[in-house]
Amino acid sequence: MEGAGRTNAVLSKLSVVGDLLMLQLVFLVLSVGIVTLFPAAFAMQRVVPDAISQDRPSLLRRYFQQFKWAFRRFWLTGLGLYFGGVALAFGLTFWASSAGVARILALAVLIPLTGMIVGLYLSALAVLPTAGDETTTKSLFRSANLFLLRRSLPVAGGVIGLITWFALLSRLPTLFVVGSGLVPALIAYWLSKPSRKTSENVSI
């Protein structure tokens, strides 16, 4: 009985890993076009909890439903995030390779700004699974900002984790296939889980 239980536990974990990798591959296909990149990431975030909990077997169908939902609402926002991210990365690269006092001042502004934007993005991903179907860009931003204020320390840890992932990705580009969409999604999923302290306070 104990051996059968362990086997079932291992098979369950392998099933979760397989579903997550399947979602990652679909994300890669859908995110080829720039306009579909962030809707694909948002849709993935909405489905990741189902993949981990194994509550819904039709993950692919649900993913495509969520992709259509996210694309209708956030395609323009996604374009803004994409081009804003490119401009920010260019600015960081430019000033990091420059010299003089202007470099220090520019980086003193750009680095905290980058951290704040990444933290807000992770916060938006964290609240997406519980967001209603009527959610708009404005209401999502409001919820993400509130989440960031309430859980600033965990979000800061998530930002460090995501930046570390990007640094690792620059060294091993092949990891892009495995975790380009999955790593941010899992970090945001971890952020969305209530802390033990909060749970104990609620139970009391």
Side-chain angles (χ1 to χ4, degrees), residues 180-191:
S180 55
L182 194 56
V183 169
L186 291 176
I187 291 175
Y189 175 79
W190 169 74
L191 290 175

Side-chain angles (χ1 to χ4, degrees), residues 6-179:
R6 289 181 180 177
T7 301
N8 291 335
V10 170
L11 290 176
S12 178
K13 291 179 180 179
L14 288 176
S15 179
V16 171
V17 172
D19 286 341
L20 291 175
L21 290 177
M22 177 185 65
L23 291 177
Q24 166 65 21
L25 291 177
V26 177
F27 166 81
L28 283 176
V29 173
L30 291 180
S31 62
V32 170
I34 294 174
V35 72
T36 58
L37 174 59
F38 283 95
F42 289 178
M44 185 175 192
Q45 194 64 45
R46 301 265 285 182
V47 181
V48 158
D50 295 331
I52 294 176
S53 65
Q54 297 285 289
D55 285 341
R56 301 189 183 187
S58 303
L59 283 177
L60 277 182
R61 182 168 62 183
R62 175 162 165 74
Y63 183 90
F64 285 117
Q65 290 172 348
Q66 294 303 318
F67 175 75
K68 292 178 182 177
W69 172 84
F71 185 81
R72 286 197 301 267
R73 285 165 174 77
F74 304 116
W75 70 271
L76 187 58
T77 303
L79 276 180
L81 287 172
Y82 177 82
F83 288 112
V86 171
L88 196 58
F90 175 80
L92 285 169
T93 303
F94 174 80
W95 287 110
S97 59
S98 301
V101 179
R103 168 180 178 268
I104 298 175
L105 293 175
L107 290 178
V109 173
L110 289 176
I111 292 176
L113 179 62
T114 302
M116 185 176 296
I117 292 174
V118 173
L120 190 60
Y121 175 69
L122 287 175
S123 299
L125 290 181
V127 301
L128 265 173
T130 57
D133 291 341
E134 71 285 351
T135 299
T136 61
T137 299
K138 185 177 180 180
S139 61
L140 180 62
F141 175 80
R142 190 184 303 116
S143 299
N145 191 47
L146 185 60
F147 183 91
L148 178 59
L149 291 175
R150 288 178 174 175
R151 305 205 62 195
S152 55
L153 287 179
V155 172
V159 171
I160 294 173
L162 189 58
I163 292 175
T164 303
W165 160 252
F166 283 130
L168 181 62
L169 200 61
S170 65
R171 298 288 183 179
L172 298 170
T174 52
L175 293 177
F176 181 86
V177 177
V178 179

